[in-house]
Amino acid sequence: MFTENQNNIQRHALKTEIKTVFNSDSDVIYFSILIETSSMMSSYNVIIKTLITQLQKTNRDCQIQIITYGDGVNTIFEFDTEPEILKDGLKEIKFSRDNQEAKLGEAIKMCFHNLESNWSSNLISKIIIISSGKSSDDSSDALLDILSLDNCIIYGLAAPTITTSSDQAVKDLQSLLPDQKVIPLGKNPSRDIKLLINGGGGGGGCGSFNGSQPSNDIEYSITCPINIEVYPHSNETKSIKDDLLLDVVIKPDGNTTLIPAGTIIKFQSNRYYSGYTIQLKDSLVFGKPYEETIRLEFKKGQIEKTQFEHFPSKIIFHIELANDKGNIHQGHVFLNISYFLGELKSKYKCCIGVEGEIGNGKSTCLNGFVNLFNPASELEEYFFANRSISHVTTTINNISLKEILSSKAYTHPVQQSFNDINIAWSDCWGFLDTDVSLKHKAEGRIHHGTKKDECILLQPVDRYRIDCFIFVVSIKAFIDVTIIKRIEKKIKEVISFGITPLLAITFTDTVSKHQLQEILKNKVIELSVQECNTFTINNYTEKDIQKDITKDVQYLRLLTKAIQLCKVKNEKELINKVRGISNLSINDDSNNNNNNNNNNNNNNNNNNNNNNNNNNNNNNNNNNNNNNNNDNNDNNNNNNNNNNDSFNQTPTKSQSSPFFESSTSPSSTYYKSPPSSSSSPISNESSKTIGVYIDIISDSNCSILASFEIESSSNDSILDIKNKLIQEIGSEMNANDWNITKENGTILFESAKLSSVIKYSDNNDSIKLILKKKQRLF
């Protein structure tokens, strides 16, 4: 829908649906299903999956998360995931053949964390724990955290094993879940669900459940008398990490003359944004809509590697009519990825090229990038591809975002804010033994339209140069050793001339989540690409017509990292260019000084020849003067050399780079590789891998130049982390000019271990830090 607001600014409405009505006494239920996957539970595989399927069928509007626990803990199915793909999630439930560990405490802790991220006052949480009654860790503290939540009920399904009877299994699980309702797990899932949940749980737990039998609270449908239109507050594309501002317009539908005062519209919180409530103070009559701008705050505390993956595809809202409080109408606002591309803005042109084997999805990947900038719901194709494994590209295709937008007959309002996004993409054919060096592509010597069979080197053209290479590899390619060796050779080639490669693993939806994790763990390490530069992509296929924001977010994460690397590369080239020009200028000055000195010497010699009749005293004076002049010339040359060295250490202030401006300290203070583990003292502490997310800030305005993700050990020091980051950005950075701080600005001691920094953090698996330029006192 197209309209204008009070300031006559054109705007497009986001897609909005109001589709369900349910009794307010049975609000949206959040089911958490915790499944023990030890070898003792393997015989219950089919029963458990049938139970979950029936639970979802009888509670169409519920939210479900599935967590498995054995020797490790995994979230198999998350809240806010489309229920249609639940069957795929069930395939990921794998039972161990020989492991008997059951880390129930860790599973409850993860459940609490996921619930807390979605919590609101009207949320009803029902937790079902399917267990043999054993736990290999302490679950008491995590259980107390769960029970501290309002409207949260815990149920237990105890599974008898070969060594324990049904009664003993119930007794064991009851000891782990005191005062909670526990029954034995049988062979009739429908009956078990009804017995377990109908009428409430445990010591005072309550809450109705819509089982297989009809009840007085069964859902029914009526017409919602309200129209709600939702618009982005601004036509400018924003960072995906900003708060979300929406303009909400509320008005009666054509069949209703009045909406009573006191009517409430609640926008529900999710893992990414906070909630917001609108309450009408006055009644609304037909023809006089009410408009309010709402702010859904970005949950900054959720800093983790998969952050973008938690970006919601839609915002859920509930409507509670003041004159019909017995019913709640549920609606959705579907978000548009084109309004969340602010991370891609750059003052540099960034050209991104894709490389890979034939039919691995290179053209499809580029189309995914370009469709991020397409606000329409229908997919468009800019690089020819049939989005299947059989397509082959035979020419170099280079196109920029500006060229794509300028070819449009109509420009969407949000597309007008893409002026600061200067991206070009380059598509090419798959790897051939006769291919030219990738360095020639980086230099812009392979032009648009070049054919595979006529690939010749031309003069470098800036618009065709490649700033970042993305290696696109099908998930199925990892079973072919020959292909992986060829890709690794190309990756090392790119690294050799100073470009950091990215890896995009495509067609990941053709394998199970378990198979994908195994490949990422055991196969991807054969390629010289850092884990933080490796991304998985669920491609659009030839069957896809509409855009899917969950896929768009995957493309956005990859493209954001590519732009970050392009910025760093351009910064390096800029500072090297500035230094080169200045060195030439200094050399010219030195040559001029030498010419002047030679002229002076010639003049002095001429004077000496013309004054042969002068006395010895005069000759001695002339010689002394000549010597003095020569000494002065030597001093001037030495000064010029000193100035030249000084410039190489510190760029001129007006041309300095925010990344690579260094102090006048000796070059020995530049980055050095950290000492090998063999030379460092052995730590008694067990280490673990932690994701470190660092924003780089270099000016007084605290603007973020770039953000990086690196993997570190909990035993690493702050200095180790700084050195790792400098190694990724460029060794030209002077480590002494930078501090690592917390988000609140506290400077961290470089000798401090990462484990001590995150000790009091809510999330011990990741941390957000700042790399900040030290303030100069003069």
Side-chain angles (χ1 to χ4, degrees), residues 381-401:
E381 192 169 86
Y382 301 91
F383 294 88
F384 179 73
N386 60 11
R387 289 175 271 159
S388 68
I389 301 179
S390 60
H391 168 68
V392 176
T393 299
T394 58
T395 60
I396 296 290
N397 300 310
N398 185 291
I399 191 169
S400 69
L401 176 63

Side-chain angles (χ1 to χ4, degrees), residues 17-20 22 28 61 316-318 328-332:
E17 288 182 356
I18 302 175
K19 63 178 184 179
T20 59
F22 48 86
V28 175
D61 297 308
I316 299 173
F317 63 87
H318 294 163
I328 297 178
H329 303 254
Q330 179 173 291
H332 308 91

Side-chain angles (χ1 to χ4, degrees), residues 1-5 9-13 229 231:
M1 180 181 294
F2 170 77
T3 186
E4 296 182 354
N5 64 5
I9 299 176
Q10 294 183 353
R11 58 184 183 175
H12 281 254
E229 298 169 5
Y231 303 85

Side-chain angles (χ1 to χ4, degrees), residues 82-127:
E82 296 296 333
E84 291 79 8
I85 61 176
L86 176 62
K87 61 180 181 179
D88 295 326
L90 295 179
K91 296 176 183 178
E92 303 300 328
I93 301 176
K94 306 291 184 181
F95 291 88
S96 175
R97 293 182 179 180
D98 50 16
N99 174 66
Q100 294 190 4
E101 280 195 86
K103 296 183 178 180
L104 177 60
E106 286 190 23
I108 296 178
K109 184 177 180 180
M110 179 178 287
C111 176
F112 173 74
H113 174 74
N114 295 344
L115 279 172
E116 196 176 33
S117 302
N118 293 272
W119 199 255
S120 63
S121 59
N122 63 336
L123 182 149
I124 296 176
S125 170
K126 296 190 176 186
I127 302 170

Side-chain angles (χ1 to χ4, degrees), residues 641-687:
N641 290 333
N642 289 335
N643 288 335
N644 191 14
D645 292 340
S646 176
F647 180 82
N648 285 331
Q649 292 176 11
T650 307
T652 55
K653 191 171 184 179
S654 61
Q655 296 172 320
S656 63
S657 163
F659 282 162
F660 306 113
E661 180 184 349
S662 57
S663 67
T664 56
S665 55
S667 59
S668 61
T669 62
Y670 284 174
Y671 166 75
K672 295 182 179 179
S673 298
S676 64
S677 58
S678 60
S679 62
S680 59
I682 299 176
S683 172
N684 292 326
E685 299 178 10
S686 60
S687 64

